[in-house]
């Protein structure tokens, strides 16, 4: 037995022993946190058509020496556990047996976006982070994160690519549903509860490491466009509130978050270098490491180095501000900025090339590998936590009490904006749209036309502009206003029958006409039809308060400053609005 394999030895000693045994190629593999998919039967992917992933699992683990992966897609709990164990076994059979660290985007709500989060599937279903913010209860967020931790541990996820603590200050930005809204103070309170729920008081074998994102705050995107894409790369601060966006990250560091992800955005018009944050030494080393004292792992956002193919469509690397550099030069700049790991990349040969040419020292590589190995040891991955029990996974994930807690949170998060006839009583004749008629039948007699109804229940989603690119179509951007002829159709229904309207606020919808004419207006952030109808009929209490304001017009949105919270003129509903049901 080598010293690094001896669980009785101190972690620091085990790290140094293993590091000394590693080849440069093995070290280089640790610097990449790539993606994997799995077969539905719980087996690793051994063939790929290149439409999403360029390499098979054995190629990445055995040939390229990677040991950090995030899993794409939704699967059964038992199958995920079986797959995890198979990949760990594959890693155990490599020369040094370095275990795999498996990560995931959020999996406990309703959004399904391959670039940001997955719907709950087998896991317990809770409201989106915006819904947790609407409730505003740190103790609930702790219980939520603790539930996430238990369900993740059961299938082998050891790193959460969340929480996302950007401030939702630009109403058009696509990523707001994963945030805690526009309020920095509340976000600070909730992120600390979230990190404690995932990690505990200190990182250890029962922890899930929290990769907090997106440093130093991704909210102030120019025109609200998303920097996954070239037209959204610019981040601006016309209101001078750059430091305000740092407050949640200070709170996360104080809570002991293990990892940090810089954003894609390229700051414009500041004293920071105008390059994406993953390449930005003044931000990663100067601000995050030196000024704020962060000592954990810095992992870049996905796809900064190489062009890629997603859903069969080409996408350029998100190397904003350094597009002119080669892949090797981009990697060197990111390492010099202070990054430890490249998200969504799998090019260890680039690191070998940089060291071989003398551009980057092996000592600099060791610095990052040391951090990455230390976390594997602390999490128990070399010891008792390497494998999971598929039977236990099937029993734990989606456990009845976890589902019940999530369902209760959905009801609490609903935000009553206008109440009109609420709570409803009796068994009215119900006309429903975008509501499961079988569910509605438990609350009233479902009819097929508005003319037959005593009451209608209409569920809507925040509008967005369709984008031609398949991947970008998942990121809902652009106008927040209901367009014709859809708006006229909605208003016609509201004029025909008293209607309870529920709008899913993944972004702040512009809905002055709907607010005026709806019999009652409710906001949701991920909630089942049962949750909505329970609140409408007074069987459950809605406690939500708006986590951002709802603007009156797109002109008001365009005139607002993207770094300033709740900055539109004369909003229809202000931040914090909500009636008790």
């Amino acid at each position: 037995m080598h010293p690094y394999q001896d669980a009785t030895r101190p972690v620091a000693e085990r790290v140094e022993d293993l590091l000394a045994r590693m080849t440069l190629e093995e070290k280089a593999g640790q610097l990449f946190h790539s993606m994997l998919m799995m077969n539905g039967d719980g087996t690793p992917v051994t063939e790929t058509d290149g439409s999403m992933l360029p390499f098979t699992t054995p190629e990445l683990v055995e040939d390229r020496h990677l040991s950090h992966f995030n899993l794409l897609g939704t699967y059964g709990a038992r199958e995920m556990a079986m797959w995890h164990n198979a990949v760990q076994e594959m890693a155990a059979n490599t020369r040094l047996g370095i275990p795999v660290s498996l990560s995931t985007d959020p999996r406990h709500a309703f959004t399904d976006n391959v670039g940001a989060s997955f719907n709950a599937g087998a896991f317990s279903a809770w409201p989106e982070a915006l819904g947790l913010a609407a409730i505003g209860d740190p103790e609930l967020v702790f219980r939520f994160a603790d539930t996430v931790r238990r369900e993740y541990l059961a299938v082998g996820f050891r790193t959460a690519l969340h929480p996302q603590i950007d401030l939702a200050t630009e109403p058009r930005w696509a990523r707001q549903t994963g945030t805690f809204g526009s309020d920095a103070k509340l976000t600070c309170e909730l992120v600390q509860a979230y990190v404690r729920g995932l990690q505990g008081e200190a990182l250890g074998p029962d922890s899930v490491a929290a990769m907090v994102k997106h440093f130093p705050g991704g909210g102030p995107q120019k025109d609200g466009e998303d920097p996954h894409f070239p037209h959204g790369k610019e981040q601006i601060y016309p209101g001078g509130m750059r430091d305000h966006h740092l407050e949640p990250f200070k709170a996360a560091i104080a809570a002991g978050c293990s990892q940090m992800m810089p954003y894609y955005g390229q700051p414009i018009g500041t004293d920071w270098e105008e390059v994406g944050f993953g390449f930005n030494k003044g931000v990663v080393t100067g601000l995050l490491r030196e000024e704020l004292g962060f000592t954990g792992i810095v992992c870049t956002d996905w796809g900064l180095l190489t062009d890629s193919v997603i859903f069969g469509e080409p996408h350029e690397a998100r190397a904003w501000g350094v597009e002119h550099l080669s892949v090797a030069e981009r990697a060197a700049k990111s390492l010099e900025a202070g990054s430890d790991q490249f998200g969504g990349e799998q090019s260890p040969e680039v690191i070998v090339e940089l060291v071989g040419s003398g551009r980057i020292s092996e000592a600099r590589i060791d610095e990052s590998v040391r951090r990455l190995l230390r976390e594997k040891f602390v999490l128990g991955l070399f010891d008792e936590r390497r494998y999971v029990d598929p039977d236990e996974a099937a029993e734990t994930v989606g456990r009845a009490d976890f589902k019940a807690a999530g369902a209760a949170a959905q009801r609490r998060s609903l935000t009553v904006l206008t109440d009109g006839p609420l709570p409803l009583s009796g068994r009215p004749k119900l006309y429903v749209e975008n509501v499961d008629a079988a569910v509605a039948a438990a609350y009233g007699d479902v009819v097929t036309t508005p003319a037959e109804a005593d009451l209608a229940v209409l569920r809507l989603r925040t509008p967005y502009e369709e984008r031609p690119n398949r991947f970008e179509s998942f990121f809902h951007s652009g106008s927040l206003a209901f367009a014709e002829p859809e708006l006229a159709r909605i208003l016609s229904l509201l004029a025909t029958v008293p209607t309870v309207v529920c709008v899913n606020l993944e972004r702040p919808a512009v809905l002055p006409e709907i607010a005026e004419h709806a019999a009652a207006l409710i906001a949701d952030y991920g909630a089942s039809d049962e949750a909505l109808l329970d609140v409408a009929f007074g069987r459950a209490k809605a406690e939500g308060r708006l986590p951002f304001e709802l603007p009156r017009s797109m002109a008001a949105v365009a005139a607002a400053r993207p770094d300033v919270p709740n900055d539109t003129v004369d909003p229809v509903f202000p931040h914090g609005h909500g009636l008790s049901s």
Side-chain angles (χ1 to χ4, degrees), residues 40-122:
D41 62 358
T43 57
V45 172
T46 55
E47 297 180 4
T48 177
D49 63 7
S51 63
M52 283 292 288
L53 304 179
F55 299 105
T56 67
T57 303
E59 286 174 325
L60 291 171
V61 174
E62 298 170 352
D63 302 337
R64 305 181 79 80
H65 309 294
L66 270 68
S67 70
H68 298 81
F69 300 101
N70 77 300
L71 178 65
L72 302 183
T74 55
Y75 313 91
R78 182 183 300 277
E79 290 74 20
M80 280 190 281
M82 292 166 56
W83 170 80
H84 166 268
N85 289 348
V87 177
Q88 287 290 21
E89 186 66 27
M90 192 182 298
N93 288 326
T94 60
R95 187 179 77 88
L96 294 171
I98 296 172
V100 162
S101 299
L102 185 63
S103 69
T104 179
D105 282 305
R107 289 180 181 269
H108 280 81
F110 291 77
T111 298
D112 196 1
N113 175 352
V114 70
S117 64
F118 299 99
N119 64 30

Side-chain angles (χ1 to χ4, degrees), residues 344-367:
E345 300 279 356
Q346 50 273 316
S347 305
E349 68 278 4
V350 172
I351 304 302
V352 174
E353 173 192 334
L354 287 171
V355 175
S357 68
R359 177 73 171 79
I360 296 290
S361 71
E362 190 165 355
R364 170 64 189 87
I365 304 304
D366 287 351
E367 180 185 332

